[in-house]
Amino acid sequence: NLVLRTVGEKPEPDFPIRHHQEIGEEKGILDFRRAATIAGARFPMYVGAAARLEMALIHFMFFHHVDRGYVPVLPPFLANETSFYVASQLPKFADDVYRIERDDLYLNPTAESLLVNLHRDEILTADELPKSYVAYTPCFRREAGSYGEEERGLIRVHQFNKVEMFKFTAPDASYDALESLVADAESVLQALGLHYRVVLLATEDMAQQSSKTVDLEVYLPGQRRYYEVSSCSNCEAFQARRGNIRYRPAPKEKPEFVHTLNGSGLATSRLMAAILENNQTADGRVRVPEVLCGTVGAETI
């Protein structure tokens, strides 16, 4: 993978930095023990100030993208097998998704799986493109076999919240749309004041449907490493062929497949970890990002 650029200053505090799980549990705002009682291991529970901060993040990111021209969507959180095939979750990732066998429905692992099906079996007109959507959904993933000290806390959980961007474009516009998608995702991190880097993924690290993927990785000083918080991909016509999603370049011309693009805008669990770790102070408080203070109702936690 190739690091294209880094943005912001890497925090180098002169006091011991703590892991976000330690901060959350000490303050009583992250309760993994009771979450495990309710659902099992690796489910988070946000309490008090963390619940307010989580909702503030969702609200801010959702309307931030709406203000940038995305059409807001609140889709179903369940989808059928065909929808997951179009999205390329199936058959390759069948072991990673939750399935409700009685109803033959699947729990949403990412709103990409839902939004790509918005225009399934449709023929759009050229002047309808590009179409840009933003959705909020909870996401559910089995995360089988991904256990380790570096993934404790909020790093890799079975349930998390995410704001997702999605675009349908004409083929000749899709790579410019990808640049725009990355910029929109970056604008969230910039608004939150977080240090991050932009990474171009190698072919072997991309999803099968992707032709080009750019990740945004935020720095967590409690672990001295970067973690992906957004993955922006141009899937060209891969998903469109599966879903028979086409457009007519001009009246009476033969329909062509659109290109589809997706990007996290962003996933909240690792953002929560990043805020707790990057914004901790020497006296044990955590600064709330300025853009979230109004919704959280406080400047510090």
Side-chain angles (χ1 to χ4, degrees):
N1 296 338
L2 176 65
V3 176
L4 300 177
R5 59 184 179 275
T6 59
V7 180
E9 295 295 324
K10 182 184 290 187
E12 297 180 351
D14 55 3
F15 58 89
I17 289 294
R18 293 183 299 163
H19 189 281
H20 66 274
Q21 184 172 350
E22 298 168 6
I23 297 170
E25 291 179 342
E26 178 186 287
K27 292 182 177 294
I29 60 175
L30 293 177
D31 195 334
F32 291 98
R33 182 181 66 82
R34 289 189 175 93
T37 298
I38 295 169
R42 301 187 73 173
F43 283 90
M45 183 157 68
Y46 305 95
V47 180
R52 295 180 67 94
L53 181 56
E54 178 78 356
M55 293 303 296
L57 278 169
I58 294 168
H59 182 275
F60 166 69
M61 293 188 294
F62 188 79
F63 288 102
H64 176 80
H65 294 306
V66 170
D67 290 342
R68 294 171 80 92
Y70 290 78
V71 175
V73 179
L74 292 177
F77 298 157
L78 299 173
N80 56 37
E81 184 175 344
T82 300
S83 294
F84 269 40
Y85 172 76
V86 172
S88 307
Q89 291 291 338
L90 295 177
K92 185 174 182 179
F93 299 107
D95 292 339
D96 295 325
V97 296
Y98 286 100
R99 181 187 176 199
I100 303 172
E101 293 187 5
R102 178 176 175 179
D103 303 291
D104 198 19
L105 292 171
Y106 295 81
L107 281 172
N108 164 55
T110 168
E112 172 198 350
S113 304
L114 312 171
L115 295 176
V116 68
N117 288 279
L118 278 178
H119 298 290
R120 192 168 81 205
D121 294 322
E122 293 182 18
I123 299 177
L124 305 171
T125 61
D127 58 8
E128 289 182 279
L129 299 178
K131 282 185 173 291
S132 301
Y133 296 101
V134 60
Y136 157 69
T137 63
C139 302
F140 305 89
R141 298 182 184 179
R142 291 191 182 278
E143 299 291 5
S146 56
Y147 293 84
E149 171 62 22
E150 72 279 3
E151 294 175 336
R152 69 186 176 101
L154 294 171
I155 298 304
R156 198 175 292 276
V157 289
H158 293 310
Q159 176 185 325
F160 59 96
N161 294 304
K162 187 148 71 87
V163 172
E164 181 81 1
M165 301 174 289
F166 200 91
K167 290 178 179 285
F168 298 87
T169 75
D172 61 359
S174 65
Y175 281 95
D176 286 340
L178 178 61
E179 295 299 318
S180 174
L181 201 69
V182 172
D184 289 336
E186 284 190 75
S187 69
V188 172
L189 292 174
Q190 292 165 9
L192 295 174
L194 293 170
H195 165 65
Y196 66 94
R197 66 186 185 185
V198 183
V199 179
L200 177 65
L201 292 197
T203 303
E204 60 266 26
D205 289 334
M206 296 193 306
Q208 65 170 348
Q209 68 268 27
S210 178
S211 296
K212 181 179 180 180
T213 297
V214 177
D215 279 4
L216 303 184
E217 299 179 345
V218 73
Y219 184 69
L220 268 63
Q223 298 165 75
R224 298 180 182 274
R225 60 176 294 179
Y226 290 88
Y227 282 97
E228 176 227 317
V229 291
S230 177
S231 190
C232 299
S233 297
N234 183 355
C235 299
E236 292 194 355
F238 188 101
Q239 294 171 321
R241 290 179 186 278
R242 287 190 169 197
N244 193 30
I245 310 165
R246 297 175 293 168
Y247 82 109
R248 201 178 298 277
K252 299 182 180 181
E253 285 193 12
K254 182 180 179 180
E256 299 179 12
F257 290 109
V258 300
H259 281 190
T260 61
L261 303 95
N262 66 83
S264 312
L266 307 167
T268 61
S269 53
R270 291 181 180 178
L271 278 186
M272 177 74 71
I275 290 170
L276 293 179
E277 292 191 16
N278 281 281
N279 290 16
Q280 59 187 296
T281 64
D283 61 4
R285 294 175 298 129
V286 175
R287 297 186 307 275
V288 176
E290 185 177 350
V291 293
L292 306 179
C293 286
T295 307
V296 174
E299 295 182 355
T300 60
I301 297 173

